[in-house]
Every structure is written in structure tokens, then in C-alpha cells.
Amino acid sequence: MNKWPGVRLRVTEGWDEDGHHPPHSLHYEGRALDVTTSDRDRKKYGVLASLAVEAGFDWVYYESKAHIHVSVKADNSVAIHAGGCFPGDAAVTLQSGEKKNLSELHCGDFVLAVDQSGRVTPSEVLLFLDRDQHRRTTFVTIETDHPVRRLLLTPSHLIFAVQDPANSTADFSPIFASQVRVGDSVLAHHADGPWLRPARVVRVWQQEAIGVYAPLTSHGTLLVNGVLASCYAVLESHPWAHRAFAPLRLVHSLFSLLPLKGEARNCSAQETGMHWYSQFLYQLAWGILGRDSLHS
């Protein structure tokens, strides 16, 4: 039964394409609305808010006297929705020694990565776990000295770091980029050899950029802007994440026997957006491990 005959729902703000909201606003993700009644009678807003709660909105509040703000959660979490990525202008090193931006990288390219022994080795790009040249994202920027390196990656992405590095790289473990602090050390590659060395973090900050790229290599690691990073995100266990993607590596190895080249070799490669297998694993982890086990 309509309590207010002739009165309609009025949406004053939905998807924001012009950057009028704060950086983390859900209006950029199409998950938030600002609503009023068509007659703009503020006495009705209390009932309107109650109706919004009953309709299933996760968050309802009086953002201003002019409207009510309503929003919904992502399918599982913001971290899972965003995944882990690098910006398009981040550079990797090909097997030939040539530098290449991630926005120009293709499946089938061989880039420098690190094997289980810690040695720098070429590794094939199997597919992109996420790729979207138009998505606006907040990145954690990590800057080091000796050598000077600067790496941008999303907060939920894994990077190998340690607080007090010893002489061995064995002390380094994967942590979320959001957990890196000034004074920590990450692993950087020097051009004079096949091994990595600690590089002290001297500055950490956040900045926005447009475009996200998350290549998956056969080794599960890669050197981006000369710094070692995992190919994985959201779950703080690089070994388990690497095992979880074993079926994709198996499919790729089978297709590599066919007389195809580049991305045509990979039946699971996608043009844009998050890869379906990544979404499946994240949803599975969300259901089995729970929210506390994932980056939030």
C-alpha cells in the first residue's frame, strides 16, 4: 500500500563520473545513492530511511538535511572487488633486458621473476588476473634508497618485506602492501647479478591512478620497477595462493603444446576486468576462511 499517493522516489546522485566525491566514495563504484521524496518533504525522510533498510541497503544515514545516503556492500568485500594490481606505467624487464610497461605487456612474454631459491629468472606471463585501463584505483607507493626504487601497488597486493633484514633474503616474507612501513626493507634487483638485495623503505604514501594490471607468471612472482612482488593479493599466504592457481598453470601447459602463439595459447585469458578464476577463488576463500582471513 502506498503511504504517500502521488509521491515518488527521487534520486539526486548515483554514479559519479566527474570526481565530485572523496577518493573512496562508493559513488565511483555504482554502489551508493542519495535519495529524497519527490515532494522533498523532510518529515518523510525518517520513514524513507526505514524503507531503505527494509529494502536491503547495508548502510543508510542522513548525510545532509537535503537527502538520505544509501549504499550496499560489494559482493564480498572492497579488497576482493579491487583485487591486487599495479598501474599501467609500472615497468617489468623482459628476458632480453628490455623494459616494458604493464599496459603493453602480453601473455606469452617472458619477464624477470624470482624462483624458490631466490634467484632471478625469466618467467612466462600466463594471463592477467585483472586488467582494466580505465579503472580509478588508490595505490600504495613505496620508495626505497640504495638502490632508489619506487613501486605502486594496491593495498591488498603481496610484497616481500621484513622489518630487520639479516644478510639473507630468506628472512623476507610476503605481507600486504598496506602493512609496509618506513624503515622496513623490500627486495630489489641490481643489474650486476642474478640475486636480490635488501632496499630500505624511506617513504610510503597513497596516490590515485587510472588503470590496473595484474599479470600472473609461471613462478608466481615478478620484478616490477626493480622490486620483487608476488602475483597474488587479498590472502596473506603466497604459497597457498600459488598452489590455488596450479590448475590454471596446468591448463596453460597443456595448451602450450598446441601450435598457437601469445594470448591465443591461453583459453582462459580475458580482454578486460577480473579473471573469472580469481573471482571464484576469492569467493571460495570468503566462504571457507571467512572475512578475517582476507585483506580488508
Side-chain angles (χ1 to χ4, degrees):
M1 178 179 175
N2 189 350
K3 298 184 61 174
W4 306 315
V7 177
R8 298 182 300 276
L9 180 67
R10 175 173 173 264
V11 179
T12 61
E13 186 75 59
W15 181 269
D16 184 357
E17 295 180 343
D18 302 314
H20 292 158
H21 290 81
H24 301 291
S25 172
L26 298 184
H27 284 285
Y28 295 123
E29 301 181 25
R31 296 196 281 118
L33 297 172
D34 297 336
V35 298
T36 71
T37 54
S38 59
D39 59 0
R40 306 186 189 186
D41 183 358
R42 295 177 183 172
K43 296 180 181 179
K44 295 185 174 74
Y45 288 3
V47 176
L48 181 61
S50 298
L51 293 173
V53 172
E54 293 178 7
F57 285 97
D58 298 302
W59 187 250
V60 179
Y61 72 102
Y62 292 92
E63 193 171 42
S64 74
K65 294 181 179 180
H67 65 260
I68 292 173
H69 175 90
V70 298
S71 59
V72 294
K73 297 177 182 177
D75 291 339
N76 19 56
S77 76
V78 174
I80 285 178
H81 175 73
C85 310
F86 308 94
D89 59 358
V92 293
T93 304
L94 301 183
Q95 185 176 14
S96 63
E98 174 190 356
K99 302 290 184 180
K100 197 172 192 179
N101 288 346
L102 290 180
S103 60
E104 302 171 345
L105 194 66
H106 299 286
C107 295
D109 288 344
F110 279 80
V111 300
L112 293 188
V114 173
D115 60 20
Q116 292 183 346
S117 68
R119 185 181 181 89
V120 176
T121 185
S123 188
E124 185 178 4
V125 176
L126 306 181
L127 52 84
F128 282 83
L129 300 177
D130 201 353
R131 178 167 56 181
D132 190 334
Q133 61 178 333
H134 301 298
R135 190 188 309 163
R136 180 195 298 266
T137 306
T138 299
F139 293 94
V140 174
T141 305
I142 300 170
E143 188 173 291
T144 69
D145 61 358
H146 306 299
V148 177
R149 299 282 189 269
R150 180 178 293 180
L151 175 65
L152 279 72
L153 66 174
T154 47
S156 63
H157 204 104
L158 293 176
I159 182 172
F160 295 86
V162 71
Q163 287 186 332
D164 298 309
N167 294 327
S168 173
T169 60
D171 299 319
F172 285 74
S173 59
I175 64 172
F176 294 126
S178 60
Q179 298 173 335
V180 176
R181 299 290 183 266
V182 173
D184 293 350
S185 291
V186 296
L187 289 170
H189 180 230
H190 295 248
D192 57 353
W195 303 101
L196 302 176
R197 298 178 185 175
R200 190 171 65 92
V201 176
V202 295
R203 190 182 175 201
V204 179
W205 73 99
Q206 291 192 347
Q207 68 181 79
E208 282 197 346
I210 296 177
V212 293
Y213 297 83
L216 173 65
T217 67
S218 57
H219 287 80
T221 61
L222 72 166
L223 290 167
V224 183
N225 291 351
V227 177
L228 176 63
S230 169
C231 292
Y232 310 115
V234 180
L235 179 65
E236 197 175 13
S237 175
H238 173 84
W240 276 108
H242 194 57
R243 294 188 189 102
F245 280 91
L248 274 188
R249 295 195 298 275
L250 175 60
V251 170
H252 175 83
S253 63
L254 294 176
F255 269 76
S256 65
L257 301 176
L258 300 176
L260 302 174
K261 294 182 179 181
E263 299 194 14
R265 294 173 59 183
N266 197 331
C267 65
S268 61
Q270 88 288 9
E271 290 298 325
T272 187
M274 184 176 286
H275 194 278
W276 67 266
Y277 192 76
S278 298
Q279 293 179 335
F280 166 73
L281 288 180
Y282 292 155
Q283 291 170 0
L284 185 64
W286 178 272
I288 296 177
L289 301 178
R291 180 176 182 176
D292 294 339
S293 300
L294 306 177
H295 184 275
S296 59

